[in-house]
Amino acid sequence: MIIICEPQCSGFEHVPVNSALITTVKKAFSDEKILFLAEKDHLEQVRENLSDRGLGHIDFVPVAIANRQGPKISKVVPDFKLCYEVFKLARRNKVRRLLFCSTTTSFLYAIKLLQRLYDDLRCIVVPHGILSSVTQWPQRRILGYPMWFRNALLWFDTGRLRYLVLGESIRAALVQRFPRLGPLVFSIDHPYFFQPPESEILKIDRGLTFGFLGVGVRAKGIDLFFKLAKEVCYGRGNSKTQFTLVGSLVDRDIDDFASSAIVMPSPDQPLSRAEFCTRAKAIDYALFFLDPAEYELRASGTLFDAFAFLKPIIAIENPFFDYYFRKMGDIGYLCKDYEEMKSVVQELVNKPATDRYCRQQHNIARWIREFNNENQARKFAEIATGIWD
């Protein structure tokens, strides 16, 4: 048996990536029963997501998780309690293999300290966006120092804990910053359910549609997306060019968010998966305005959304995207800054790069086959076997 636990996410958060991760683990260890522990609503959505995958031998057990609101210190007791319950369950069932789909600072401390009591357990932890915090001192330098994730990462190593990051560029950047973590950190590509690419790759024969995928927040550059739409479409009259927010708008105080150049199918509520897919298929290019400093140690699931629908990328350079552009070849346009990005968009609006667009789609389609669950499972099996056995 393998125990997989999501220690902090509730509801829809991380449902797609956790569903794909569980599938990867199950395909890697097809003879093993999987026990998945998570908050009840999250658990049910993952169960539904996996219901037609034909995986079998997966049990779902709801658990109580810490309240995400409030200071980090408030999560210490519930995180330690959850970790203790997971470890106790593992020992009772004679399970040595544990995978945690995410972590908080206090939960990582809990794993490391409790491993001293449960020294037979071998743990893999998947840190997500929290990794970015290791590059910045906590705002409250004295009181915040013990709860800085950097310290949880570097202190109290047990020798029986490894980290799985979702991108080779993230592993390389983390090890460059902290060389002693080198033997402890492994990578796979971001788990994702890819459908077979469309057999017919269409040429551009109409006005272009540029899309912003995911939740519209300033941290992901939604303000720059609106600014770009306004500047590109200003004075064009009845131009067919469109900019579509394929997701909900969280930061609603952005100037001119009601511009006629912006199409927002569901500004107030998250799109259903079916509606998201329909809207994402309708765009021509996916735009990304992510902060390079944030995406040195953070993966982008929406990049894989763009890949899934064969949408070439137009993005401001960041280490995570740089890696895939080098790996996959011509899959779009990487720009130094906002102004270069605007210039690329304006040039494409004035003169669509039809032939290059088709080549970009073909490159994405070719690499999608490398990112499928079977290939991910083979790589995960190699990594996990060395850790768990």
Side-chain angles (χ1 to χ4, degrees):
M1 181 189 290
I2 299 170
I3 294 178
I4 303 177
C5 176
E6 172 49 72
Q8 64 166 331
C9 294
S10 61
F12 181 73
E13 184 182 15
H14 282 194
V15 165
V17 64
N18 282 348
S19 302
L21 179 60
I22 291 170
T23 301
T24 298
V25 176
K26 183 58 181 173
K27 287 180 179 291
F29 297 91
S30 58
D31 295 333
E32 295 283 352
K33 180 179 178 180
I34 302 290
L35 185 63
F36 180 55
L37 285 64
E39 179 267 338
K40 183 178 179 180
D41 188 28
H42 182 84
L43 192 86
E44 291 304 320
Q45 293 191 48
V46 170
R47 187 205 301 266
E48 183 179 353
N49 228 17
L50 297 177
S51 61
D52 60 351
R53 301 285 168 181
L55 298 175
H57 293 97
I58 300 178
D59 287 343
F60 298 85
V61 177
V63 294
I65 63 172
N67 188 333
R68 296 284 290 277
Q69 306 302 317
K72 290 181 180 180
I73 197 70
S74 68
K75 302 175 181 64
V76 171
V77 171
D79 275 351
F80 267 79
K81 182 179 179 181
L82 174 57
C83 189
Y84 174 68
E85 293 298 327
V86 174
F87 278 20
K88 190 167 63 171
L89 177 66
R91 175 156 300 172
R92 188 165 64 243
N93 288 276
K94 298 181 180 179
V95 176
R96 296 176 63 247
R97 301 170 170 185
L98 282 78
L99 171 67
F100 295 98
C101 300
S102 68
T103 189
T104 63
T105 300
S106 52
F107 197 85
L108 186 55
Y109 276 135
I111 293 172
K112 290 186 171 185
L113 295 179
L114 288 172
Q115 272 192 320
R116 285 161 168 75
L117 299 176
Y118 294 83
D119 58 3
D120 55 326
L121 303 185
R122 302 293 185 269
C123 299
I124 299 175
V125 173
V126 184
H128 289 272
I130 196 170
L131 267 181
S132 295
S133 67
V134 304
T135 65
Q136 302 170 347
W137 277 82
Q139 291 182 342
R140 303 172 69 184
R141 292 209 170 190
I142 297 176
L143 295 177
Y145 188 75
M147 297 305 295
W148 185 16
F149 187 71
R150 176 184 181 278
N151 295 329
L153 197 62
L154 298 177
W155 293 353
F156 310 125
D157 181 46
T158 65
R160 299 181 299 279
L161 170 64
R162 298 294 185 269
Y163 304 98
L164 183 69
V165 297
L166 305 184
E168 176 57 24
S169 65
I170 299 173
R171 189 203 66 80
L174 186 62
V175 171
Q176 183 177 26
R177 284 182 176 274
F178 308 111
R180 64 172 152 148
L181 291 179
L184 308 181
V185 183
F186 301 86
S187 73
I188 61 173
D189 293 303
H190 192 292
Y192 194 96
F193 288 137
F194 285 103
Q195 300 298 320
E198 296 287 342
S199 58
E200 181 181 7
I201 299 178
L202 301 176
K203 293 185 177 182
I204 304 168
D205 57 0
R206 52 181 168 69
L208 294 179
T209 299
F210 300 91
F212 183 105
L213 302 176
V215 179
V217 293
R218 277 191 172 84
K220 295 188 176 182
I222 189 62
D223 51 332
L224 295 178
F225 179 71
F226 285 169
K227 179 182 178 184
L228 181 63
K230 181 179 179 181
E231 292 179 352
V232 169
C233 293
Y234 180 76
R236 288 185 173 272
N238 294 322
S239 171
K240 295 180 180 179
T241 304
Q242 283 192 338
F243 290 78
T244 300
L245 170 57
V246 186
S248 59
L249 179 63
V250 174
D251 292 336
R252 301 185 62 85
D253 58 339
I254 299 169
D255 291 342
D256 299 316
F257 80 83
S259 167
S260 60
I262 307 290
V263 177
M264 291 186 288
S266 180
D268 301 315
Q269 298 292 330
L271 293 171
S272 69
R273 184 62 189 174
E275 180 71 6
F276 179 90
C277 292
T278 298
R279 296 290 179 175
K281 286 178 182 177
I283 69 172
D284 296 305
Y285 291 94
L287 305 187
F288 293 89
F289 303 84
L290 304 174
D291 183 349
E294 283 291 314
Y295 283 81
E296 177 188 12
L297 295 172
R298 181 194 296 256
S300 170
T302 50
L303 175 62
F304 282 74
D305 286 327
F307 290 162
F309 300 108
L310 303 183
K311 303 306 175 184
I313 312 302
I314 305 175
I316 296 174
E317 292 176 349
N318 68 67
F320 188 74
F321 282 49
D322 290 350
Y323 170 77
Y324 286 103
F325 269 73
R326 290 195 305 271
K327 181 174 183 173
M328 298 169 66
D330 184 8
I331 57 172
Y333 307 84
L334 273 182
C335 307
K336 294 191 298 292
D337 52 28
Y338 170 83
E339 290 302 323
E340 183 178 348
M341 196 168 175
K342 182 173 74 172
S343 177
V344 166
V345 170
Q346 288 175 326
E347 185 175 345
L348 290 171
V349 168
N350 293 331
K351 188 178 180 181
T354 307
D355 291 341
R356 184 176 178 185
Y357 185 87
C358 291
R359 290 196 301 271
Q360 290 166 340
Q361 287 194 311
H362 278 293
N363 284 339
I364 296 170
R366 178 169 55 89
W367 275 97
I368 280 179
R369 300 179 183 92
E370 297 294 320
F371 298 142
N372 65 31
N373 293 124
E374 286 72 20
N375 286 342
Q376 291 279 66
R378 282 192 287 271
K379 184 171 183 181
F380 179 80
E382 293 175 5
I383 293 169
T385 299
I387 297 169
W388 281 338
D389 294 340

